[in-house]
Amino acid sequence: MSDAAIAHEAPEEHPTSTGLNHRKILMWAFLGSECIFFGSLITTYLVYRGKSVVGPYPSEILNIPLTSVSTFVLLMSSLAMVLALAGFERAAGAAGDVERQQQELKKGRFWLLMTAVLGTGFLGFQAYEFIEFVHHGLGLTTNLFGTTFFVLTGFHGTHVGVGVLWLVSLLVLSYFGKVKPLDVELGGLYWHFVDIVWIIIFTLIYLIPH
Amino acid sequence: MRLTGHAPAWRLARMAGLVAIGAVVAAFLAGCGAVDTPQTMLFPRSDNNQAINDLYAPLTWLAVVIFIIVQGLLVYSIFRFRVRDDDDDSIPPQIHGNTRLEIVWTLAPSIVVVIMLILTYQTMAVIEADPPPDALRVRVVGHQWWWEVHYPDHDVVTANEIHIPIDRAVYFELESNDVIHSFWVPRLMGKRDLMPGSTNTIWFTPSEEGLYLGQCAEYCGTAHAQMRFHVVVESETAFNNWLERQREPAVEMTGDAAEGAALFVSRACVTCHTIRGTDAIGTIGPDLTHVARRSYIAGGILENTPGNVRNWIGDSQSLKPGNLMVLPVELSEEDIRLLTAYILALK
Amino acid sequence: MATVTGVQTRERVSAGAAIWSWVTTIDHKRIGVLYFVTSLIYFMVGGFEALLIRLQLATPDGQILDTDTYNQLFTMHGTAMVFMVAMPMAAAFFNFLIPLMIGARDVAFPRLNAFSYWTFLGGSLLMHSSFLFGQAPDGGWFGYANLTSKEYTPGLSIDFWGLGLLVLGVASVAAALNFIITIINLRAPGMTLMRMPVFVWMTFVTSFLIIFAFPAITVALIFLEFDRLFGTNFYEVAEGGDPMLWQHLFWVFGHPEVYILVLPGFGIASEILPTFSRKPIFGYSAMVFAAVAIAFLGFSVWAHHMFTTGMGTIADAAFAGSTMLIAIPTGIKMFNWVATCFGGRIRLTVPMLFALGFLTTFLIGGLTGPMLAAVPLDLHFQDTYFVVGHFHYVLFGGLILALMGGVYYWYPKITGRMMSEKIGKWHFWLMFTFMNLTFFPMHFVGVDGMPRRVGTYAAGMGWDFWNMLISISAFGIALSVLVFLHNLVVSYKKGKPAGNDPWDARTLEWAIPSPPPEHNFDEIPHITHRDQVWYDKYGDGHGSAAELRKTDADADEQADEEHDVHMPNPSYWPLVVSAGLTIAAAGLMIHIAVAVFGVLWTVGAVYAWSLEPASTPSEEH
């Protein structure tokens, strides 16, 4: 499986006009589009800040210490993502040296798993937070704060969920030799984007005083 | 690709086409001489609307002149450089551009834009200025599909027919009770939307007495097309008399009208309508205290005649489909007759 | 494998196999044809709706339609014409032409391309299925909150509309991403950005507009559907929500959408005018930068649709200013088109007639634009027939005429046969005449105070004559469309064989057979000039045919590696994913379990898609 463990750069990849891979540009362009998507969601949250007619209001309910921890978890997952990609790239670079290749690949897989685990951890925090809010009487339909908060963070959480699914798929596929460093890189681009969006959300929703 | 010497049938079509376009252009020029129609924006009857109209003419003519220039160049090119039967097949000079020319036609539209903007901003400064302090305040609340009208400083509530005095600024506060509507009396002023949850304003000083047509201009659901209203511009004296009258409770009823009044209160009517001085205090539909004095009923779509009132009470859904006056039980012919008598007596 | 496998000359196969080959096709040319035929059908549907509307409005107090039906018809007419006719018909041209024009064998992601088409079909069918349930959308194509809330529009009509548009949005963004990557990455060697045909540039700019504009309406629609399905408060006034939120999000999408619609028309005209003037496009760089400028400015003008909402003087003034600025790049384009004709040798073929008709009518639509941007005038024009006249000049005059010209221009390339010039001239003159007679008088009734979206009006308003004229002329347009359909069909069977380059044209698609072989180019061409095919024929000299550029060293060097062409395999997974998405959207109206099922279906199909090899294993090496 040593040879199969690293997919070859497929021969069908013709040279491109820019020398950049199609899928990589696709991912960048898609993330550009996603920026407007989250931009619209975040702007809506800001426009509706302080417009709720009934409570609970954000200052009564937001748990900044807890969310700081979950933010830290997500940030660490980005670090793990970087290490995972490095592992896969080094493994691909060590094509001649089977032992080193296996070693690097193992590292890559480990960090990929860590990224997924940390991502799942973040989702766990989010689920806990949502449940807490509901216990405190803040539901999706309670007021404008509930509406904008749950929809914004919910869509972000969904993105994280899709990312976790993606990472796990990469991990599984890597055992069948179907994962190229580029595949990991694309997943990484997406993952870092989702992470950055969270930093913005965390700053705007949690840290700016109401 | 050569055109043949024969006159193929499509040339007739082309001829017809060119004639038709000529007719449109002629009609357009005639249109600039403008026909006075009931809801036209071209014959303004207020100061602010006059200001808007003064902007309309220069911008229109600017557009016409630019059209003639550009289209003239295009038509000239087509005729001048068209391939003819006796042409050789030579290739024209392959000109890729001309920097000087291109600078010229970047600057030309820029200058036009600056002119248009200056004119626009000048007019905006006039019509968006604050109203004079002695302006008459009128609060209009949009409903699906009628207009509630308040005179907050005079304690008057009415519907669908707004009276204002001539030569005095009138300041409208516009609100909505349900969805977005738009308040538009083309002869008096441009439109302004009635936004649920906030108050919009617009003002003008009417300059000529008369009955002006207004219409909701923002799509607001089923009966949007029939959400009309009227503005009566009258002398200061007439207006004050009208206000006086509107302030009073409904007149005492006798005969059929009194029976109708009793029916009105015992039937569903009372849940929606107010008739001051009686037990009817509903707020869902228009205030009917002096409805008989209005020129129109049903949200400005029907003249206020006995026949129309009768038909409206009997079968409003066929006259204005979708309107919210839905009776839980059908009225008998006799009920309709009595209620009509009552409504007509609400002077 | 180097020979004919094009659309028309495909060998006789069983009907089932033929249908299967279309269902699984990932060939950009066939997908282009699918887009075209589908959008043509919706053009008939939308046109039929328009005719019903005009029947109702022909006389005062019209009795043909009841109010609710009328409201459904103008809603669906607008929605269908924008999202199911104009955009996909432009996409048909993008699909067929972009790879040919840049010298590529296909788009960058052929299966994603098929996915875009099937998703478009799914979304449009989902929305139109509302007619079967008597629940056609009736909130206007602009769907202003809070009229679209559950309180004011119960039932499912708005959900069909909102969910259908969400699915269509996925299709549009996927297609736009595909064209961006294709144009960035699949240009033939030597084709720099500034050597691309103007049509390719317009596609490029349009695609960027799509990926940046659609997320805004996606979010607006998500809010709408959350409000309707789950009871959130985005547009709930009583809870502090503001209907203006919808208007801002909608028009942040909606105004760039205007350029999404019209830039492809610019592109088509910019190909036709040079060919039939036998001159290159005048001021190429200015044309490109003007389009880019229009696209950027297009994102800064959205609130000019909202002057009557009382945003305040400062905002009104700012948006009036930014809107009028667009007149400058548009003016540049206009003058450059005229200058392209000037000094040429103009052949008045049908495509050229349509392109010239486009210039004329778009000019009119362009000139009423700044009038609408003048805030005080807009306080009158807003929501009247003046606006209806204006944007029909822009969209019918600016887009449909250009698209029609494009059909006549590229039909020979697509089918291998010429369209009839004689019928085409009938088509053009009927359409041009009646569109002017239909849409010009709309300005008059608008100025005379007729609001839009009214299904009935009283007599004596001075509108009767014009409305009758408009209605009669609308049927004239319908007649011209029938002539067009007749021409499409007749020419397919009996048209003159076209040959590679029937128009003596300038761009790469004319260098290959008509219809093009499945792999487009036997050898990927090498580009040394803008209008490469023209250069190959005539050189850059003035008048005499120059020697063909055959000695290019690079060309010979790279040519030999291109002989063994293998194309990616057909796939049905794109269709399966699209079906999953459509089921998920429909499920939200039926039962949450159906929606979950649809999502699982989609996820499963995405896995199957990504694990399916793009080409057969034997070809992988």
Side-chain angles (χ1 to χ4, degrees):
Chain A
M1 118 155 197
S2 65
D3 196 39
I6 291 288
H8 294 285
E9 288 296 327
E12 84 258 49
E13 286 184 22
H14 292 294
T16 61
S17 308
T18 55
L20 296 170
N21 180 280
H22 290 341
R23 288 160 66 205
K24 204 162 166 179
I25 308 182
L26 177 73
M27 184 51 74
W28 278 108
F30 170 71
L31 294 180
S33 189
E34 286 269 272
C35 283
I36 310 286
F37 180 81
F38 278 107
S40 303
L41 286 170
I42 292 170
T43 308
T44 301
Y45 179 87
L46 293 178
V47 166
Y48 278 163
R49 237 165 71 107
K51 296 273 171 66
S52 296
V53 278
V54 294
Y57 301 102
S59 53
E60 304 162 11
I61 204 166
L62 290 178
N63 186 342
I64 297 177
L66 181 86
T67 316
S68 303
V69 175
S70 78
T71 304
F72 181 73
V73 168
L74 194 63
L75 273 176
M76 287 306 105
S77 79
S78 261
L79 178 63
M81 189 71 235
V82 171
L83 295 171
L85 175 60
F88 276 87
E89 274 176 345
R90 281 202 218 102
D97 182 347
V98 176
E99 199 176 322
R100 224 192 110 224
Q101 191 185 37
Q102 281 304 306
Q103 225 170 14
E104 293 295 348
L105 198 56
K106 216 178 256 174
K107 277 192 215 158
R109 285 192 188 123
F110 170 76
W111 287 115
L112 207 52
L113 179 67
M114 278 313 291
T115 315
V117 167
L118 288 169
T120 313
F122 174 82
L123 288 176
F125 275 108
Q126 192 167 41
Y128 172 79
E129 185 188 35
F130 279 18
I131 291 166
E132 276 298 292
F133 282 9
V134 171
H135 282 161
H136 283 91
L138 182 75
L140 180 64
T141 60
T142 311
N143 56 17
L144 270 184
F145 170 59
T147 290
T148 50
F149 173 83
F150 283 112
V151 171
L152 169 57
T153 55
F155 269 98
H156 179 265
T158 311
H159 275 73
V160 176
V162 169
V164 169
L165 206 62
W166 188 345
L167 296 172
V168 172
S169 308
L170 284 175
L171 187 61
V172 172
L173 286 174
S174 78
Y175 286 100
F176 296 91
K178 298 235 182 214
V179 176
K180 287 171 278 181
L182 178 69
D183 297 322
V184 182
E185 192 181 346
L186 294 179
L189 274 176
Y190 174 85
W191 191 260
H192 295 313
F193 170 79
V194 172
D195 198 356
I196 290 167
V197 169
W198 180 255
I199 303 292
I200 296 168
I201 293 175
F202 179 63
T203 311
L204 292 178
I205 295 188
Y206 293 84
L207 295 188
I208 294 181
H210 283 78
Chain B
M1 261 5 93
R2 292 273 162 78
L3 300 174
T4 60
H6 308 292
W10 60 263
R11 285 200 170 171
L12 293 174
R14 179 172 69 182
M15 198 93 78
L18 292 174
V19 168
I21 291 158
V24 168
V25 172
F28 175 72
L29 294 175
C32 296
V35 193
D36 189 356
T37 58
Q39 220 162 282
T40 181
M41 59 184 82
L42 293 184
F43 291 86
R45 295 288 184 260
S46 81
D47 57 347
N48 282 343
N49 213 19
Q50 184 63 49
I52 295 176
N53 199 56
D54 292 343
L55 179 65
Y56 176 79
L59 291 197
T60 308
W61 284 113
L62 210 52
V64 170
V65 168
I66 296 171
F67 177 78
I68 290 171
I69 293 172
V70 179
Q71 190 66 17
L73 282 172
L74 182 65
V75 170
Y76 172 79
S77 308
I78 295 170
F79 280 96
R80 170 71 181 70
F81 299 105
R82 201 172 136 182
V83 169
R84 283 163 218 289
D85 288 350
D86 56 346
D87 279 341
D88 57 7
D89 264 344
S90 66
I91 306 238
Q94 300 291 294
I95 298 161
H96 291 271
N98 180 320
T99 311
R100 203 173 297 170
L101 266 179
E102 288 175 57
I103 290 174
V104 167
W105 59 57
T106 307
L107 287 180
S110 309
I111 293 167
V112 173
V113 161
V114 169
I115 294 173
M116 292 204 295
L117 268 181
I118 290 173
L119 292 172
T120 300
Y121 290 161
Q122 280 176 339
T123 309
M124 284 175 74
V126 174
I127 66 169
E128 303 209 1
D130 288 336
D134 68 329
L136 171 72
R137 271 207 309 153
V138 181
R139 191 169 144 248
V140 177
V141 182
H143 293 255
Q144 282 180 326
W145 290 273
W146 61 280
W147 310 80
E148 181 184 337
V149 182
H150 293 260
Y151 293 76
D153 301 329
H154 301 277
D155 198 23
V156 165
V157 183
T158 178
N160 298 333
E161 187 174 296
I162 303 169
H163 286 244
I164 49 176
I166 189 171
D167 290 335
R168 178 177 168 196
V170 51
Y171 177 71
F172 287 94
E173 295 169 345
L174 307 170
E175 290 162 21
S176 172
N177 183 61
D178 37 50
V179 301
I180 304 172
H181 304 280
S182 194
F183 180 85
W184 190 34
V185 195
R187 303 297 290 265
L188 294 175
M189 190 53 194
K191 61 183 74 66
R192 188 66 89 191
D193 295 351
L194 293 75
M195 303 297 296
S198 59
T199 304
N200 262 333
T201 60
I202 199 166
W203 74 275
F204 55 84
T205 310
S207 56
E208 195 173 312
E209 290 181 26
L211 178 73
Y212 298 102
L213 302 183
Q215 183 157 12
C216 176
E218 183 65 82
Y219 176 61
C220 55
T222 308
H224 161 62
Q226 294 177 307
M227 182 167 168
R228 306 176 60 89
F229 63 102
H230 294 81
V231 175
V232 179
V233 177
E234 56 197 1
S235 69
E236 186 78 35
T237 331
F239 173 68
N240 285 333
N241 288 340
W242 178 84
L243 272 184
E244 197 74 22
R245 199 61 187 253
Q246 292 291 315
R247 260 196 298 266
E248 290 166 10
V251 290
E252 287 294 321
M253 295 295 153
T254 53
D256 282 353
E259 279 186 56
L263 260 180
F264 193 93
V265 180
S266 64
R267 293 298 169 99
C269 314
V270 71
T271 51
C272 296
H273 293 289
T274 291
I275 295 177
R276 275 171 287 128
T278 75
D279 291 342
I281 49 166
T283 54
I284 295 168
D287 184 306
L288 298 179
T289 311
H290 298 290
V291 65
R293 302 184 67 83
R294 296 180 201 150
S295 318
Y296 289 82
I297 57 164
I301 62 165
L302 297 173
E303 274 185 66
N304 195 353
T305 63
N308 279 340
V309 171
R310 202 199 154 283
N311 291 341
W312 178 253
I313 295 171
D315 187 9
S316 73
Q317 288 304 325
S318 75
L319 295 167
K320 184 169 175 173
N323 84 76
L324 301 179
M325 188 161 92
V326 184
L327 304 177
V329 282
E330 212 163 303
L331 296 169
S332 68
E333 282 297 315
E334 178 63 5
D335 288 352
I336 295 173
R337 191 182 67 80
L338 293 173
L339 283 170
T340 306
Y342 177 47
I343 295 296
L344 290 170
L346 285 167
K347 291 280 184 190
Chain C
M1 135 148 235
T3 47
V4 217
T5 34
V7 175
Q8 184 212 15
T9 46
R10 198 161 270 276
E11 280 159 45
R12 193 167 287 276
V13 282
S14 76
I19 291 172
W20 185 246
S21 80
W22 280 94
V23 168
T24 60
T25 187
I26 55 168
D27 177 353
H28 69 97
K29 298 181 289 298
R30 301 183 117 210
I31 292 172
V33 171
L34 286 173
Y35 264 114
F36 180 74
V37 172
T38 314
S39 59
L40 201 58
I41 291 169
Y42 282 120
F43 188 50
M44 307 295 133
V45 174
F48 183 67
E49 286 159 355
L51 292 181
L52 288 177
I53 289 171
R54 285 321 313 178
L55 273 179
Q56 168 74 5
L57 293 180
T59 56
D61 301 314
Q63 298 295 326
I64 314 270
L65 305 170
D66 65 60
T67 321
D68 286 322
T69 312
Y70 182 86
N71 294 343
Q72 292 175 352
L73 286 176
F74 79 68
T75 300
M76 286 307 288
H77 168 74
T79 309
M81 287 300 192
V82 168
F83 294 99
M84 295 159 218
V85 178
M87 290 184 70
M89 203 176 278
F93 283 90
F94 297 169
N95 264 291
F96 200 94
L97 293 171
I98 293 301
L100 299 183
M101 282 185 161
I102 61 174
R105 295 231 155 89
D106 205 323
V107 293
F109 301 96
R111 287 184 296 176
L112 184 65
N113 202 21
F115 166 78
S116 299
Y117 170 75
W118 294 114
T119 307
F120 150 64
L121 187 67
S124 60
L125 287 178
L126 174 64
M127 197 187 294
H128 275 88
S129 66
S130 59
F131 280 108
L132 302 177
F133 304 97
Q135 300 244 31
D138 55 358
W141 91 276
F142 55 104
Y144 269 12
N146 55 345
L147 179 61
T148 50
S149 65
K150 208 80 183 166
E151 182 181 358
Y152 296 111
T153 312
L156 292 174
S157 60
I158 300 295
D159 302 303
F160 274 109
W161 182 79
L163 296 166
L165 279 185
L166 279 170
V167 176
L168 287 171
V170 173
S172 301
V173 172
L177 288 169
N178 211 342
F179 287 114
I180 289 175
I181 318 304
T182 304
I183 293 169
I184 290 181
N185 243 3
L186 281 180
R187 282 165 289 132
M191 177 162 288
T192 57
L193 288 176
M194 293 310 272
R195 283 182 190 159
M196 299 194 305
V198 176
F199 180 77
V200 178
W201 260 110
M202 296 305 125
T203 308
F204 196 47
V205 175
T206 303
S207 302
F208 272 105
L209 282 171
I210 290 176
I211 66 166
F212 290 128
F214 265 78
I217 194 180
T218 302
V219 167
L221 288 166
I222 287 172
F223 291 166
L224 173 66
E225 287 307 322
F226 265 72
D227 274 7
R228 291 182 61 88
L229 298 170
F230 309 122
T232 51
N233 309 311
F234 287 108
Y235 308 122
E236 280 299 322
V237 177
E239 292 288 342
D242 189 347
M244 287 293 279
L245 174 68
W246 169 273
Q247 294 194 22
H248 281 291
L249 287 172
F250 183 81
W251 290 117
V252 163
F253 151 79
H255 202 80
E257 171 72 12
V258 174
Y259 301 111
I260 290 170
L261 296 175
V262 83
L263 285 182
F266 289 3
I268 290 170
S270 302
E271 296 305 321
I272 294 176
L273 291 169
T275 293
F276 296 105
S277 303
R278 311 199 82 193
K279 270 181 68 200
I281 190 88
F282 194 92
Y284 174 94
S285 328
M287 291 302 256
V288 169
F289 288 123
V292 175
I294 288 173
F296 270 103
L297 287 172
F299 277 101
S300 66
V301 302
W302 77 88
H304 68 214
H305 297 270
M306 299 153 63
F307 285 148
T308 62
T309 61
M311 294 182 296
T313 311
I314 305 289
D316 285 356
F319 281 102
S322 60
T323 304
M324 286 196 190
L325 283 184
I326 291 192
I328 299 170
T330 313
I332 294 172
K333 290 187 93 75
M334 206 71 208
F335 282 115
N336 277 335
W337 281 320
V338 174
T340 303
C341 299
F342 192 92
R345 302 180 71 77
I346 296 173
R347 292 173 291 163
L348 289 177
T349 58
V350 176
M352 186 63 169
L353 286 174
F354 273 104
L356 295 170
F358 152 82
L359 287 190
T360 305
T361 49
F362 181 71
L363 177 60
I364 295 174
L367 287 171
T368 46
M371 295 176 73
L372 288 163
V375 180
L377 291 186
D378 189 64
L379 296 186
H380 276 302
F381 292 148
Q382 167 81 1
D383 279 324
T384 67
Y385 265 84
F386 191 92
V387 177
V388 180
H390 160 74
F391 72 72
H392 278 94
Y393 263 89
V394 172
L395 294 181
F396 201 106
L399 182 65
I400 298 294
L401 287 189
L403 286 171
M404 291 296 155
V407 171
Y408 280 89
Y409 186 56
W410 282 295
Y411 188 90
K413 182 52 58 188
I414 296 167
T415 64
R417 291 181 186 276
M418 308 294 290
M419 282 181 86
S420 160
E421 282 280 306
K422 201 170 101 183
I423 307 176
K425 280 179 175 161
W426 272 103
H427 171 204
F428 171 75
W429 284 107
L430 286 172
M431 186 172 260
F432 184 72
T433 304
F434 284 115
M435 78 140 280
N436 280 293
L437 287 175
T438 303
F439 301 123
F440 208 93
M442 287 185 177
H443 297 98
F444 299 149
V445 282
V447 167
D448 280 344
M450 180 164 171
R452 44 194 302 207
R453 305 179 182 122
V454 293
T456 178
Y457 56 92
M461 303 293 283
W463 306 336
D464 308 7
F465 170 76
W466 293 120
N467 272 308
M468 181 55 88
L469 174 66
I470 293 168
S471 292
I472 293 171
S473 307
F475 280 86
I477 297 180
L479 175 68
S480 77
V481 173
L482 291 180
V483 173
F484 170 62
L485 292 178
H486 172 70
N487 200 357
L488 274 183
V489 174
V490 167
S491 304
Y492 189 74
K493 301 260 180 242
K494 297 188 184 149
K496 275 187 299 185
N500 290 5
D501 184 14
W503 307 119
D504 196 11
R506 316 178 72 89
T507 42
L508 278 183
E509 73 272 27
W510 303 106
I512 56 173
S514 312
E518 191 183 351
H519 58 282
N520 298 347
F521 297 91
D522 291 343
E523 289 175 17
I524 299 296
H526 287 256
I527 309 301
T528 55
H529 286 77
R530 210 178 280 157
D531 292 342
Q532 183 72 41
V533 169
W534 178 268
Y535 176 76
D536 290 347
K537 287 185 289 197
Y538 301 107
D540 51 7
H542 304 279
S544 62
E547 212 167 291
L548 294 189
R549 165 209 54 95
K550 262 294 174 209
T551 53
D552 197 309
D554 295 341
D556 291 339
E557 205 173 293
Q558 284 203 317
D560 45 8
E561 63 188 56
E562 306 284 0
H563 286 306
D564 183 23
V565 182
H566 31 91
M567 302 301 290
N569 290 339
S571 172
Y572 48 80
W573 289 114
L575 169 60
V576 177
V577 176
S578 302
L581 272 182
T582 311
I583 291 170
L588 287 170
M589 289 186 282
I590 305 164
H591 191 279
I592 196 75
V594 183
V596 172
F597 171 73
V599 170
L600 293 177
W601 174 323
T602 309
V603 172
V606 165
Y607 272 104
W609 174 348
S610 25
L611 296 177
E612 179 191 48
S615 47
T616 43
S618 64
E619 286 181 357
E620 203 146 17
H621 285 277

